Amino acid sequence: MAHASAVLAASLDHGPDLCLVGPPGAGKSTVLRRHAAARDPADVVFVDLSGCRDGVEASATVADALGVLLDSWLTASEVADLLRRTLADRPALTLILDEADAVGAEVAPLLEALAGLPGQRVVASAEPVGPGEVLPVEPLEDDACTALFEANHTGWRSSGTRVCRSGSPLAVRLAALNDVD
């Protein structure tokens, strides 16, 4: 995961729109949360889209996180316009959209509407979505998996060999907590 964090940090200077892509459990959300925690809280808005069913709910969730009040009669393009104006007034803001898998391609029109604004949009998804650079979050190598397992293991020592082969940080942490070999 250190590699993905380094790539994300380096990419902040290269473009305003980024999409972290990787399989479930690869560590996309962890990378984004670490990135957000390292920044001034006033300059980061972290939006969890996991509860959204479609692009309309995603837009409303983003608006709510930004403190934008929406009228129910607004069209999708009017909402996007309102969000564009809001973000244009906050050029230092990084907008992080986590769990974009929940709405998939339906969040793309919102991201396209926000592209080119000052600030930055960073998305986590299993598949690329929206404009911008795609940053893969790769599964962990065996040594990193073993180290993560041992760091999170709470019971008697177990190798976790099978689970470490998956390369999934989430699977490794769960296995360590549950003492699965």
Side-chain angles (χ1 to χ4, degrees):
M1 220 169 337
H3 172 69
S5 295
V7 170
L8 178 60
S11 296
L12 293 178
D13 297 328
H14 297 293
D17 300 296
L18 305 168
C19 183
L20 269 62
V21 176
K28 301 177 298 289
S29 296
T30 300
V31 168
L32 290 177
R33 288 186 191 284
R34 285 182 183 162
H35 171 66
R39 306 215 31 193
D40 181 343
D43 292 339
V44 177
V45 174
F46 194 96
V47 184
D48 183 353
L49 299 178
S50 63
C52 300
R53 294 179 302 231
D54 56 32
V56 173
E57 279 190 19
S59 294
T61 301
V62 171
D64 185 53
L66 291 170
V68 175
L69 298 176
L70 298 178
D71 290 317
S72 60
W73 50 265
L74 291 175
T75 66
S77 63
E78 290 171 326
V79 170
D81 217 25
L82 190 54
L83 292 174
R84 280 184 66 79
R85 287 195 307 268
T86 300
L87 290 173
D89 291 339
R90 296 179 70 185
L93 183 74
T94 296
L95 178 63
I96 297 176
L97 304 179
D98 194 23
E99 300 288 342
D101 311 75
V103 288
E106 289 192 40
V107 77
L110 172 64
L111 295 172
E112 289 165 8
L114 301 180
L117 289 173
Q120 186 169 47
R121 276 80 39 211
V122 183
V123 179
S125 180
E127 299 292 328
V129 61
E133 183 179 353
V134 173
L135 302 173
V137 178
E138 302 293 335
L140 297 174
E141 298 292 326
D142 287 348
D143 290 346
C145 276
T146 302
L148 182 62
F149 182 88
E150 290 172 355
N152 285 275
H153 195 270
T154 58
W156 53 273
R157 188 166 178 82
S158 174
S159 69
T161 305
R162 254 189 328 217
V163 120
C164 285
R165 282 190 210 125
S166 74
S168 167
L170 178 61
V172 172
R173 285 191 186 109
L174 291 174
L177 293 173
N178 292 305
D179 201 34
V180 173
D181 188 9

